[in-house]
Amino acid sequence: MTEWTRTLEVDGPARTQELAQRLGAQLRAGDLLVLTGELGAGKTTFTQGLARGLGVERGVISPTFVLVRRHRGGPGRPDLVHVDAYRLASAAEVDDLDLEDTADASVTVVEWGAGKVEHLAGSRLEVVLERAVGAGALGSPGAGPAAPGTDGGASAPAPHAAGDPEDDDAPEPRRITLTGVGPRWAGGPPAL
């Protein structure tokens, strides 16, 4: 069912946001993005860029403790629904969030969502973020995304909070792999 995969390398959080902003400008209501990456890989940083591309005016922070944050899109743009599924153990717990109520009219971005949210839409864009330093360094043994359909399981680190390394603006290479799944992405990867 995978339509295509594209891997890009960027040199830090600012470039991550720029790339995501270009992608965000091309997203439309009903799009589902599933973000995977270790602690500090840039999931929230990526979402902040997407938000700018959607015309979101207010700051986007991780919904770690509230699970879901909704941000109003700019004029003529869909809203952004930002979900942190780290503490959710199953697709049934995701269903309890009632995301289907906003899915068709919004862009839904789910951090830590692999294996939990694929049922929400017939198409999705999977985004895997890898960083160059730390436990999952680019090219290090064991680096890279968790096995398909998982997001690291119980051994995955806790999501970040304000002030953690993900919020640092220091240049740090990151690999971003986009995989389009389903008819929405059948035309190939977006121009970035």
Side-chain angles (χ1 to χ4, degrees):
M1 188 172 192
T2 297
E3 302 293 340
W4 51 264
T5 297
R6 180 175 182 194
T7 300
L8 304 138
E9 294 203 12
V10 296
D11 67 1
R15 297 285 187 240
T16 299
Q17 286 187 349
E18 290 169 8
L19 174 73
Q21 182 175 355
R22 290 191 300 272
L23 175 61
Q26 299 175 61
L27 295 176
R28 60 186 186 211
D31 284 343
L32 171 65
L33 285 77
V34 181
L35 277 55
T36 301
E38 68 172 8
L39 173 67
K43 296 177 297 295
T44 299
T45 299
F46 189 87
T47 304
Q48 290 167 340
L50 287 173
R52 282 200 311 253
L54 291 167
V56 171
E57 293 183 18
R58 292 183 169 200
V60 172
I61 60 172
S62 178
T64 299
F65 299 104
V66 296
L67 302 179
V68 179
R69 292 187 191 274
R70 184 172 182 169
H71 303 276
R72 196 153 310 281
R77 302 294 295 145
D79 290 349
L80 170 67
V81 175
H82 185 194
V83 181
D84 186 323
Y86 179 79
R87 289 179 172 75
L88 305 178
S90 67
E93 288 186 12
V94 169
D95 288 343
D96 289 342
L97 298 176
D98 293 326
L99 296 175
E100 66 276 358
D101 291 344
T102 59
D104 290 340
S106 303
V107 170
T108 303
V109 176
V110 185
E111 297 185 25
W112 306 98
K116 301 173 188 173
V117 300
E118 291 80 358
H119 68 285
L120 293 175
S123 298
R124 67 185 174 276
L125 185 60
E126 299 172 353
V127 181
V128 176
L129 296 108
E130 300 171 88
R131 60 188 202 164
V133 299
L138 295 178
S140 71
T150 70
D151 201 8
S155 63
H160 80 282
D164 278 358
E166 187 164 350
D167 297 324
D168 188 2
D169 288 330
E172 177 184 319
R174 295 164 196 252
R175 179 180 300 136
I176 301 172
T177 302
L178 306 171
T179 302
V181 178
R184 160 68 169 106
W185 301 105
L192 299 173

